[in-house]
Amino acid sequence: MITLGHYLVLAAFLFAVGLMGALTRKSAIIVFLSVELMLNSVNVVFLALSRYFGTLDGAVFVFFVMAVSAAEAAVGVAIVVAFIRRNGTTNIDAANLMKW
Amino acid sequence: MIALAVFFIVAVLAIAGAFTLLFHKHPVVASLGMACATLSIGAAYVMLHVPFLGLFQAIVYAGAVMVIVLYVIMALGGEESGPKVGRIQIVLACAAAVLFFAQVFRVTLETGASVFGAAPQGYGSIQSFGDLLVNTYSVPFEIASLLLVGAMVGAVVLSRRKWE
């Protein structure tokens, strides 16, 4: 029998993996994809709890998260392209303009 | 029983894709791992009785986002270069991830098995979803469309050639 906990633990695991990817990888593209993975795992929690409580409000929130993440993908990829053109590398350590 | 087996297959595929994204050196293989993870998550949506969101997931993530990312890698390259990540950074990131997962796992164990009840009539149908979207959440829906227009303009502005 699949319970709510199965989905919550799966989502937490995916979120933790995405968190590690965002904090330890150096390629800007991989960091961007890790953030997308974290967004996706939160969507699983939304849908599991929505199913548990029997209302579709969580599904609507997942819809909005998808819209936001599509916007984020468009702007994020444009930023990555501009970053690679300017620095000649995808290494995010090169982004140190606002570092002191 | 069959549902449980399908769930575990989906979970293993999602976790394998996520680990590919986390560990593989080559950016193309890592992106394909992410595509595998997003498709598996879409299958999980279908198992949660919201099949059209699973379809959206396949179209938006495995379709659009992945193609854009692979296109960028193909055109500009995405190999990692430069010095390695510091050991302290890796240890701290592992600690954050493990602590987060352990906390969620502990809370889930404490609350016990919460079995899903029977889905209400019309749950997960396009009709009930659309009803909710244009009646209860109509203002956020309009704001989301404004956000997408803003993102489109922002992407065009950012990709002008003025960085050289």
Side-chain angles (χ1 to χ4, degrees):
Chain A
M1 197 69 195
I2 311 175
T3 62
L4 178 63
H6 284 87
Y7 285 103
L8 295 187
V9 168
L10 171 66
F13 194 85
L14 290 177
F15 190 92
V17 172
L19 180 66
M20 272 193 67
L23 290 179
T24 61
R25 293 298 296 258
K26 287 193 328 181
S27 168
I29 296 170
I30 305 288
V31 171
F32 167 72
L33 286 179
S34 300
V35 173
E36 293 278 345
L37 183 65
M38 288 158 79
L39 281 169
N40 266 316
S41 68
V42 172
N43 282 351
V44 174
V45 175
F46 265 128
L47 283 184
L49 285 171
S50 184
R51 170 82 179 79
Y52 183 68
F53 291 115
T55 63
L56 264 181
D57 298 67
V60 177
F61 271 85
V62 169
F63 187 75
F64 287 132
V65 170
M66 277 184 180
V68 169
S69 116
E72 184 224 330
V75 177
V77 167
I79 289 175
V80 168
V81 169
F83 180 79
I84 295 175
R85 273 202 204 140
R86 187 173 187 276
N87 296 306
T89 173
T90 51
N91 191 347
I92 45 171
D93 291 334
N96 55 6
L97 190 65
M98 296 181 77
K99 210 169 160 185
W100 57 282
Chain B
M1 271 307 111
I2 294 175
L4 197 62
V6 172
F7 174 81
F8 275 111
I9 291 170
V10 166
V12 165
L13 277 176
I15 289 168
F19 272 131
T20 310
L21 174 69
L22 178 56
F23 288 118
H24 208 284
K25 286 277 170 259
H26 202 285
V28 173
V29 183
S31 306
L32 291 178
M34 176 65 186
C36 172
T38 50
L39 279 177
S40 314
I41 291 170
Y45 293 176
V46 175
M47 292 177 68
L48 285 164
H49 292 257
V50 199
F52 59 93
L53 278 181
L55 271 180
F56 284 1
Q57 174 88 1
I59 294 169
V60 172
Y61 283 100
V65 173
M66 282 299 128
V67 169
I68 292 175
V69 166
L70 284 174
Y71 195 78
V72 168
I73 293 171
M74 183 195 78
L76 298 167
E79 282 82 18
E80 301 194 324
S81 57
K84 288 195 167 183
V85 179
R87 190 173 293 270
I88 299 173
Q89 187 180 347
I90 291 178
V91 168
L92 284 180
C94 282
V98 168
L99 277 179
F100 172 77
F101 180 70
Q103 176 70 7
V104 174
F105 195 72
R106 189 183 68 85
V107 170
T108 310
L109 277 188
E110 273 179 10
T111 49
S114 313
V115 181
F116 291 117
Q121 183 71 32
Y123 181 85
S125 69
I126 302 262
Q127 190 185 0
S128 49
F129 181 81
D131 187 45
L132 208 56
L133 195 62
V134 296
N135 287 328
T136 314
Y137 294 101
S138 53
V139 176
F141 184 63
E142 296 300 327
I143 293 175
S145 67
L146 281 181
L147 177 80
L148 284 170
V149 172
M152 204 164 68
V153 174
V156 171
V157 169
L158 274 171
S159 52
R160 280 183 310 170
R161 280 193 168 268
K162 62 163 190 178
W163 304 99
E164 286 153 17

